[in-house]
Amino acid sequence: MKKVLILGSTGSIGKNTLNVIRDFPDKFEVAALTSNTRIDLLEIQIDEFKPRIVVVRDEILGKRLRDKIGNKCKVLTGNSGLLEVAANFDYDIFVGAIVGSNGLAPTIEAIKRGKTIALANKETLVVAGELITSLCEKYNSKLIPVDSEHSAIFQCLEGENKASVEKLIITASGGPFLNKNKNTFNEITVEEALNHPNWKMGNKITIDSATLMNKGLEVIEARWLFGMTKDKIDVVVHPQSIIHSMVQFTDGSIKAQLGLPDMKLPIQYALTYPERCKNNFERTNLPKIGNLSFFEPDIEKFECLNLAYSALDAGGTAPCILNAANEIAVDKFLSGKIKFTTIPSFIYKALEKIENHKSPDLVTIYECDRLTREFVSGLN
Ligand code: NAD
Ligand code: MG
């Protein structure tokens, strides 16, 4: 029986992780759950999955939950609670399903204990990829991707020699504005941007998918997960989201992983790896799908993808600046303060303004993250 800690159990990935765990009561037990603010849902999860400890990041809401549930389970609060549970509590698999760079510190605690890390929280690898991968090596911690593209690549690489990989081909749905004229981008509403054609996800990643920043973050994520340089990572637009990504080998052969756009499959694979376990998820019916199509991404139209490529080229803390600026800009867009087209311009300004530090340690990364947030918060 594997004990699972889910950081961010009330979000889209968190709930899907619990959906998978529910199907395998003899394989997994929920050790701990955490939420930012959604204590009502967390309480329902406590009743069903009976974790021994939960963390609510919002202190006031955490105290409210503690008063309400009495001794059903222990309730910690705040960022310190998240660190405490990752660093000292008993579990085998750490599921990183928090959104944003807030996932970084607890993930590092789990890595230092040599835990298996099922990572959905791509921002952690974007801001500190070099550091995270070297810590994983040092503490013998296994990083298993949950992001569907990276899970696909991870599956394609099974049994292969890394030296025979020619390139990784990451697929992108293209988001809701794939065929929209760029001249009309400044009229895009929050509601339109949140309407993703294929995937149901949390708000932040849904906006990232609309700007194609999500694909940029995924290229950076792939760079660190698979130790590939940027020239060996291609992005191809594939609107049906059936091929989740591919690997091309030195003999020209391409391996792909296919499936319906449902995160339960990559989550299950990460939890059960290296085993595959039978489930009753809907199967992919290729004749029903009919056509699979592919295009080059338009980086003139989707500037965020281009900005991510530049940040990856620049290296050092540039991806951290890119990510922090994007998090603040997306927040501002979601709360109606800026236009869709202002998102890339804020990120561009931050990359110009904030100093880049090469091979940063954790202190430098946090400082860079803080400075960028402060700078972009002041823009309008
Ligand atoms: P979400 O917004 O639905 O859920 C986020 C979870 O994190 C919630 O449980 C929330 O309570 C918690 N949380 C939010 N802010 C927090 C903070 N500051 N401190 C502590 N906890 C906090 O997000 P999601 O769509 O589930 O995405 C989670 C992560 O997984 C993101 O990094 C995203 O890029 C990645 N991801 C998501 C999907 C998807 O299908 N949803 C696919 C691939 C990767
Ligand atoms: Mg993805």
Side-chain angles (χ1 to χ4, degrees):
M1 187 77 100
K2 286 181 187 166
K3 299 186 204 96
V4 185
L5 177 162
I6 307 173
L7 219 72
S9 64
T10 53
S12 161
I13 293 288
K15 286 187 280 186
N16 267 323
T17 306
L18 289 171
N19 288 337
V20 170
I21 288 178
R22 185 183 289 117
D23 289 343
F24 296 99
D26 52 332
K27 281 192 186 304
F28 303 109
E29 148 188 332
V30 174
L33 299 175
T34 84
S35 179
N36 194 23
T37 54
R38 295 192 61 190
I39 53 172
D40 292 355
L41 176 57
L42 189 57
E43 192 181 346
I44 295 169
Q45 295 178 342
I46 292 169
D47 285 336
E48 181 178 355
F49 293 97
K50 309 204 169 11
R52 281 188 294 121
I53 194 163
V54 298
V55 185
V56 181
R57 197 185 77 113
D58 184 289
E59 306 264 357
I60 295 168
L61 292 172
K63 287 190 185 105
R64 194 179 297 165
L65 181 70
R66 189 185 292 142
D67 290 344
K68 186 159 181 230
I69 65 170
N71 54 9
K72 251 189 223 169
C73 90
K74 194 170 171 184
V75 181
L76 300 181
T77 61
N79 282 327
S80 59
L82 293 174
L83 286 182
E84 167 72 18
V85 84
N88 297 314
F89 195 65
D90 178 28
Y91 60 93
D92 304 302
I93 305 179
F94 172 101
V95 179
I98 277 188
V99 56
S101 62
N102 291 301
L104 177 59
T107 307
I108 289 178
E109 293 304 326
I111 292 171
K112 284 185 176 164
R113 297 175 67 197
K115 302 293 183 191
T116 297
I117 315 287
L119 195 68
N121 174 227
K122 63 191 87 186
E123 294 92 343
T124 279
L125 273 176
V126 171
V127 302
E130 192 172 0
L131 193 76
I132 290 284
T133 45
S134 67
L135 286 173
C136 281
E137 231 166 81
K138 178 169 173 194
Y139 293 100
N140 201 16
S141 175
K142 180 98 184 139
L143 205 54
I144 306 175
V146 167
D147 213 348
S148 56
E149 296 76 4
H150 306 74
S151 174
I153 292 169
F154 188 78
Q155 294 179 55
C156 292
L157 290 173
E158 276 291 286
E160 301 287 352
N161 185 342
K162 193 179 157 197
S164 52
V165 175
E166 197 161 83
K167 65 180 176 184
L168 310 180
I169 305 169
I170 299 183
T171 53
S173 71
F177 308 128
L178 178 62
N179 299 314
K180 191 174 172 68
N181 189 319
K182 172 111 201 235
N183 296 333
T184 63
F185 268 28
N186 62 354
E187 296 159 11
I188 288 171
T189 64
V190 172
E191 201 190 359
E192 286 168 332
L194 284 176
N195 189 19
H196 195 280
N198 303 346
W199 296 94
K200 276 177 82 143
M201 311 177 284
N203 284 355
K204 193 261 179 184
I205 184 175
T206 306
I207 301 302
D208 286 349
S209 302
T211 60
L212 255 65
M213 176 55 91
N214 185 49
K215 221 35 65 178
L217 300 178
E218 290 183 352
V219 169
I220 303 175
E221 182 185 9
R223 188 261 170 269
W224 295 112
L225 269 174
F226 306 112
M228 290 283 155
T229 47
K230 189 185 129 219
D231 55 305
K232 289 188 163 189
I233 309 174
D234 281 1
V235 171
V236 59
V237 175
H238 163 50
Q240 297 83 5
S241 297
I242 295 297
I243 295 186
H244 296 308
S245 277
M246 302 170 251
V247 176
Q248 180 172 310
F249 296 92
T250 44
D251 60 357
S253 175
I254 295 179
K255 269 166 95 172
Q257 187 262 338
L258 286 74
L260 294 172
D262 181 344
M263 288 306 294
K264 290 204 298 301
L265 183 52
I267 291 169
Q268 177 181 314
Y269 188 74
L271 292 179
T272 63
Y273 176 83
E275 245 186 287
R276 283 195 188 270
C277 294
K278 185 167 172 55
N279 60 30
N280 58 6
F281 301 163
E282 187 185 345
R283 300 313 196 221
T284 315
N285 181 333
L286 290 173
K288 197 169 139 199
I289 292 161
N291 293 302
L292 300 180
S293 45
F294 306 93
F295 314 93
E296 290 279 354
D298 184 343
I299 56 174
E300 303 291 317
K301 185 164 156 183
F302 294 99
E303 295 161 69
C304 284
L305 181 57
N306 212 8
L307 288 167
Y309 285 151
S310 314
L312 182 53
D313 276 338
T317 46
C320 171
I321 299 167
L322 173 95
N323 178 70
N326 181 56
E327 285 191 30
I328 300 292
V330 169
D331 256 0
K332 286 193 179 204
F333 172 68
L334 281 169
S335 54
K337 291 185 187 134
I338 61 169
K339 288 185 174 188
F340 187 75
T341 42
T342 310
I343 298 174
S345 65
F346 276 12
I347 299 166
Y348 179 79
K349 284 180 185 162
L351 286 166
E352 288 281 289
K353 171 80 180 177
I354 309 292
E355 191 186 344
N356 186 0
H357 295 268
K358 297 290 168 189
S359 295
D361 58 11
L362 201 54
V363 175
T364 312
I365 288 169
Y366 282 138
E367 181 57 7
C368 175
D369 182 82
R370 190 189 66 75
L371 282 174
T372 308
R373 283 167 196 270
E374 197 178 273
F375 172 70
V376 180
S377 297
L379 295 175
N380 46 50

